[in-house]
């Protein structure tokens, strides 16, 4: 006698939460597991967890994710860009401040504290849409005129215009202290043709002991550079570090030239910036 059982086999569903209220980027450990369920399949492992014995910043944890075996984080199509966007915005929030002339401080400070977030938001929307200032209310006009008297300082935010001005000022300070630079050098290591990058990418067939290691074809090398931007960045950092340590004799830990120096002798100082 055979018994047949009719039933329904249920499978787990992927729940995508949605709502009209934006999620906070700060102290929200569920933000990234919710956005990237394929990267966080168990719904854990987000940033800024309250139960951590050792506090880890978001930037350090992102770098750790990029080094995990399998490289699923560094190969994801958008995780890298979303994480970088939030990190940059946090630096802007933390390191941006206002400066005013001393004689105007009391007046401007009292005016700024009287402004509301909604008032500034409405004024910003009208200006962004290239609308006429006549459409602004009296309070909103005062807000726009007031902000013209305030200078925004963002020199500690990487990539900002103020950061570039700060770099120029530091170079001029070096000139005043050490004299005019004796050598201008452009370092442009190419991961596309370098066997070291192929090893950092994960190609175990490359033998670095050979003078001319056998590499894959040019198209494959280009695809690898485009696919693994983290390995390309690590290769650039390694190349520049080795050039200054092994060729120029610079001790990065000590912040000075080693006693024996390098191919240019003992370096007094150097200043470098990435394009």
């Amino acid at each position: 006698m055979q018994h047949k059982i009719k039933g329904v086999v249920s499978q787990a569903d992927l729940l995508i939460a949605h709502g009209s209220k934006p999620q906070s980027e700060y102290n929200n450990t569920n933000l990234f597991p919710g956005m990237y369920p394929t990267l966080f399949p168990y719904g854990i492992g987000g940033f800024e967890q309250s139960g951590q014995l050792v506090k880890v910043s978001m930037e350090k944890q992102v770098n750790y994710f990029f080094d995990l075996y399998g490289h699923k984080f560094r190969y994801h199509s958008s995780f890298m860009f979303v994480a970088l966007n939030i990190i940059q915005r946090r630096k802007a929030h933390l390191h941006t401040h206002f400066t005013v002339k001393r004689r105007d401080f009391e007046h401007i400070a009292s005016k700024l504290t009287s402004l509301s977030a909604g008032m500034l938001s409405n004024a910003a929307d009208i200006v962004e849409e290239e609308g006429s200032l006549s459409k602004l209310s009296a309070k909103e006009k005062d807000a726009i005129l007031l902000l013209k008297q305030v200078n925004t300082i963002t020199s500690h935010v990487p990539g900002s215009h103020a950061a570039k001005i700060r770099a120029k000022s530091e170079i001029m300070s070096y000139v005043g202290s050490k004299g005019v630079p004796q050598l201008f050098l452009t370092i442009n290591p190419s991961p596309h043709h370098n066997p070291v990058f192929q090893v950092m990418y994960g190609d175990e067939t490359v033998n670095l002991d050979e003078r001319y290691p056998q590499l894959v074809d040019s198209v494959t090398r280009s695809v690898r550079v485009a696919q693994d931007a983290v390995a390309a960045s690590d290769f650039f950092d390694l190349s520049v570090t080795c050039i200054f340590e092994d060729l120029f004799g610079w001790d990065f830990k000590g912040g000075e030239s080693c006693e024996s120096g390098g191919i240019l002798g003992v370096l007094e100082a150097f200043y470098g910036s990435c394009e």
Side-chain angles (χ1 to χ4, degrees):
M1 183 177 181
Q2 295 180 350
H3 298 275
K4 296 182 178 179
I5 301 177
K6 295 182 179 181
V8 178
V9 178
S10 61
Q11 295 180 341
D13 296 325
L14 177 62
L15 301 179
I16 302 178
H18 60 88
S20 58
K21 184 178 180 181
Q23 290 291 312
S24 174
E25 297 177 2
Y26 289 91
N27 301 317
N28 187 356
T29 186
N30 295 320
L31 178 62
F32 273 80
M35 289 194 298
Y36 298 106
T38 57
L39 297 179
F40 303 90
Y42 297 104
I44 59 177
F47 303 106
E48 300 170 336
Q49 300 182 39
S50 59
Q52 288 179 332
L53 298 178
V54 178
K55 297 297 182 181
V56 180
S57 67
M58 178 182 176
E59 188 171 358
K60 287 186 177 181
Q61 191 168 342
V62 168
N63 289 330
Y64 170 75
F65 284 155
F66 286 151
D67 292 332
L68 289 178
Y69 179 79
H71 298 167
K72 64 178 182 179
F73 284 90
R74 63 168 67 179
Y75 288 169
H76 195 275
S77 60
S78 65
F79 173 82
M80 179 187 304
F81 304 102
V82 173
L84 176 62
N85 188 16
I86 293 178
I87 292 173
Q88 285 286 83
R89 188 157 54 245
R90 288 187 176 188
K91 290 182 178 180
H93 293 167
L94 179 63
H95 296 294
T96 301
H97 56 278
F98 296 145
T99 61
V100 297
K101 295 181 179 179
R102 177 175 295 182
R103 66 173 184 268
D104 300 328
F105 178 79
E106 294 294 339
H107 171 71
I108 293 179
S110 61
K111 287 288 187 179
L112 281 176
T113 55
S114 66
L115 300 178
S116 65
M119 186 187 306
L120 291 175
S121 178
N122 292 335
D125 290 340
I126 294 176
V127 173
E128 183 178 0
E129 295 174 359
E130 298 182 354
S132 173
L133 294 181
S134 60
K135 297 181 180 179
L136 300 176
S137 65
K139 284 285 187 179
E140 292 170 347
K141 288 181 180 179
D142 289 342
I144 296 298
L145 295 176
L146 186 63
L147 292 178
K148 290 182 179 180
Q149 303 178 46
V150 178
N151 296 319
T152 305
I153 306 299
T154 58
S155 59
H156 292 282
V157 180
S160 65
H161 180 68
K164 298 175 183 178
I165 296 178
R166 181 189 179 192
K168 293 180 180 179
S169 299
E170 290 177 344
I171 293 174
M172 294 305 298
S173 298
Y174 268 93
V175 173
S177 175
K178 308 294 184 181
V180 178
Q182 302 299 313
L183 178 66
F184 293 87
L185 177 67
T186 299
I187 302 175
N188 187 24
S190 174
H192 181 273
H193 303 291
N194 199 295
V196 176
F197 167 77
Q198 308 304 322
V199 174
M200 297 177 71
Y201 175 82
D203 191 341
E204 298 180 354
T205 64
V206 177
N207 185 5
L208 296 180
D209 292 331
E210 297 180 358
R211 184 173 184 179
Y212 300 105
Q214 186 69 28
L215 303 180
V216 295
D217 60 275
S218 178
V219 174
T220 303
R221 297 199 302 270
S222 299
V223 171
R224 289 179 175 181
V225 174
Q227 181 184 19
D228 200 339
V230 176
S233 177
D234 291 340
F235 167 76
F236 176 83
D237 182 71
L238 174 65
S239 300
V240 174
T241 301
C242 290
I243 288 174
F244 276 92
E245 286 185 344
D246 300 329
L247 291 182
F248 300 151
W250 186 262
D251 181 8
F252 281 97
K253 292 183 179 179
E256 59 183 1
S257 179
C258 62
E259 294 182 0
S260 59
I263 60 174
L264 300 177
V266 176
L267 294 183
E268 183 69 19
F270 77 93
Y271 194 96
S273 61
C274 296
E275 294 184 353

